[in-house]
Amino acid sequence: MDFEPTERCTDFSERLNAFMDECVYPAETVFQEQLREAGDPHADPPVMEELRAEARKRGLWNLFHPDEEYGAGLTYTEYAPLAEIMGRSAIAPEACNCSAPDTGNMEVLAQFGTDEQKERWLRPLLEAEIRSAFAMTEPDVASSDATNVQLRIERDGDEYVLNGRKWWTTGAIRERCRILIVMGKTNPDGPPHRQQSMILVPRDTPGVTIVRNLTVFGYSDNEGHGEIVFEDVRVPAANLIAGEGDGFLISQARLGPGRIHHCMRTIGAAERALAMMCRRASERVAFGAPVASRANIQDWIAESRIEIDMARLLTLRAAWLIDTVGNKHARTEIAAIKVAAPGVALKVIDRAIQVHGGGGVSQDFPLAWLYAHVRTLRLADGPDEVHKMTIARRELRAHQPAEAVAGGGR
């Protein structure tokens, strides 16, 4: 792998860093103040519209999509450093129309959607006229195993009827959310990975009830995480994405690139936490000496630098493999980064919190929010245990005796 960034990547990185310094970081406090004034944690503060307009003006829009018809046309290796830069701020991804779950939903529609579905839903998402949500996880089953999904999608003439309950439907609470991609079972008696389908459900469809917003360690995230009941929800049969039984295949295509995005944004969060830790340690004096002079603090800083760089290189390699051999052949590496990146970021953020003392767990610094947000990534898009199982099984197969492989593993 050649680790030298391409000219395109370097150009976008320079322009994106300038946008962060000149516009995004100064807007973070304004964003929070406008949210408080709105009285709604899921509001769309006016400053965000200003940031979106500026990002479009600077050509920093839809950077995530590898197809020039829909985005910047960057490879995953080229986009990864940009995701890291945006990950340093909670508001930067949305400012550039590169935030989850919209990125994954747009990729699904671009890859699997019909012309009608693209025109009605993909185009407005690409223009940031609307937001979307992805409804997969359910409260009544272990959703780390996607075959457990229970929501029913049943054909009735020219319509499909949905019945079931979802939660952790990120983005569904936002007023600008207009469309849900819902995963459910169309054929409960079929092969385990052909039972599921995905279908488009407008959020205002009769029978769709948003029960509540789920908090994260007490935080009400701006995008919101909805618990939703679907009761005799009817949508046109044309809203089905791809074909019946294709839901699991679509989810795998969606999650691979999405994990690159998540991990690089997480590394960006870790970089910001490390920078904050260094500044705080240099500014504060305890027991007659700067905090930064203490051996244990220097050890934390050194360990953080080593761990962040290792996680970055591992993630860049996974991105390179997706570019060169495809998502399917990079499964082990994608699973590895999904475990490694959040784990590293949590350690670095925790050290930064400790150096900040009481301020680290307060609202005066972004560290407490970063910790809560990154902790959820050990569950989102598959928990650590599932990814480790994938890695372990691959490793075990690689070291089986030849006769066991030839005999089917007996």
Side-chain angles (χ1 to χ4, degrees):
M1 177 183 176
D2 182 1
F3 289 97
E4 182 69 25
T6 65
E7 289 185 11
R8 285 196 306 177
C9 180
T10 300
D11 174 58
F12 273 109
S13 295
E14 290 173 352
R15 289 191 282 130
L16 185 56
N17 272 316
F19 177 59
M20 297 286 288
D21 291 338
E22 296 166 13
C23 303
V24 175
Y25 296 133
E28 288 179 331
T29 301
V30 178
F31 182 90
Q32 292 299 328
E33 289 174 352
Q34 291 180 349
L35 272 185
R36 286 192 291 271
E37 291 170 1
D40 176 6
H42 314 298
D44 189 44
V47 71
M48 180 55 71
E49 186 57 42
E50 296 172 12
L51 290 173
R52 285 193 288 258
E54 184 63 24
R56 296 192 73 156
K57 179 181 175 182
R58 296 182 182 220
L60 301 171
W61 193 253
N62 292 337
L63 299 173
F64 71 96
H65 208 288
D67 189 331
E68 289 185 353
E69 181 181 356
Y70 306 112
L74 300 171
T75 66
Y76 290 107
T77 310
E78 289 175 318
Y79 176 67
L82 308 183
E84 177 184 338
I85 294 169
M86 288 184 281
R88 296 171 188 167
S89 172
I91 63 176
E94 184 175 354
C96 297
N97 209 35
C98 292
S99 56
D102 293 325
T103 49
N105 292 342
M106 285 188 271
E107 287 174 333
V108 164
L109 288 168
Q111 186 173 354
F112 299 101
T114 63
D115 290 342
E116 180 183 352
Q117 290 169 352
K118 291 177 183 178
E119 183 62 30
R120 184 174 180 187
W121 301 115
L122 178 57
R123 291 298 173 188
L125 284 168
L126 289 169
E127 297 298 321
E129 296 170 359
I130 62 173
R131 295 292 306 272
S132 63
F134 183 67
M136 177 175 171
T137 307
E138 298 182 1
D140 299 325
V141 295
S143 299
S144 56
D145 179 356
T147 63
N148 281 341
V149 167
Q150 296 297 303
L151 181 138
R152 287 300 312 275
I153 304 174
E154 298 177 280
R155 184 72 181 252
D156 183 16
D158 293 332
E159 296 179 318
Y160 280 100
V161 184
L162 285 72
N163 282 283
R165 181 182 292 263
K166 298 286 186 180
W167 71 346
W168 294 108
T169 305
T170 301
I173 305 294
R174 294 283 294 268
E175 184 181 341
R176 296 177 62 240
C177 178
R178 295 290 183 271
I179 189 67
L180 314 173
I181 294 182
V182 183
M183 184 164 174
K185 286 188 175 177
T186 45
N187 182 14
D189 300 320
H193 296 100
R194 293 292 301 169
Q195 297 177 3
Q196 306 85 8
S197 300
M198 288 193 189
I199 196 163
L200 292 157
V201 179
R203 197 183 69 159
D204 60 358
T205 305
V208 175
T209 303
I210 298 179
V211 177
R212 59 173 176 158
N213 173 59
L214 297 160
T215 62
V216 178
F217 288 102
Y219 286 98
S220 288
D221 285 346
N222 181 237
E223 67 265 32
H225 307 284
E227 181 174 345
I228 307 175
V229 170
F230 297 82
E231 188 173 9
D232 293 329
V233 175
R234 290 181 172 270
V235 296
N239 283 24
L240 192 73
I241 300 175
E244 287 195 9
D246 289 336
F248 194 84
L249 177 148
I250 297 170
S251 70
Q252 293 305 300
R254 181 186 192 275
L255 290 173
R259 287 167 181 154
I260 298 290
H261 301 175
H262 272 315
C263 290
M264 290 305 288
R265 284 195 296 263
T266 300
I267 291 165
E271 282 284 6
R272 186 169 188 186
L274 175 56
M276 292 179 65
M277 175 166 46
C278 290
R279 286 195 298 269
R280 185 76 166 188
S282 298
E283 294 166 356
R284 292 294 170 116
V285 174
F287 303 102
V291 172
S293 69
R294 306 298 180 183
N296 68 313
I297 303 301
Q298 293 182 10
D299 184 71
W300 289 354
I301 292 169
E303 290 287 346
S304 297
R305 169 49 57 212
I306 293 167
E307 290 160 355
I308 290 172
D309 285 353
M310 287 194 300
R312 177 186 293 109
L313 290 172
L314 190 64
T315 306
L316 286 173
R317 182 170 184 269
W320 175 73
L321 284 170
I322 291 180
D323 288 332
T324 54
V325 299
N327 190 2
K328 182 178 179 180
H329 296 288
R331 284 183 61 194
T332 299
E333 290 75 13
I334 293 170
I337 65 171
K338 187 55 176 56
V339 175
V344 164
L346 284 173
K347 285 195 287 186
V348 175
I349 296 167
D350 185 67
R351 293 164 182 155
I353 289 173
Q354 198 71 7
V355 170
H356 280 72
V361 294
S362 76
Q363 70 270 40
D364 288 354
F365 299 91
L367 294 169
W369 182 90
L370 281 176
Y371 189 93
H373 180 71
V374 173
R375 180 60 183 84
T376 65
L377 290 181
R378 291 188 58 206
L379 297 167
D381 284 2
D384 288 358
E385 292 73 21
V386 172
H387 296 299
K388 289 178 181 178
M389 181 174 66
T390 297
I391 298 166
R393 286 176 173 176
R394 179 75 175 269
E395 198 70 14
L396 286 167
R397 282 198 299 270
H399 295 283
Q400 281 184 324
E403 60 272 17
V405 175
R410 291 192 300 271

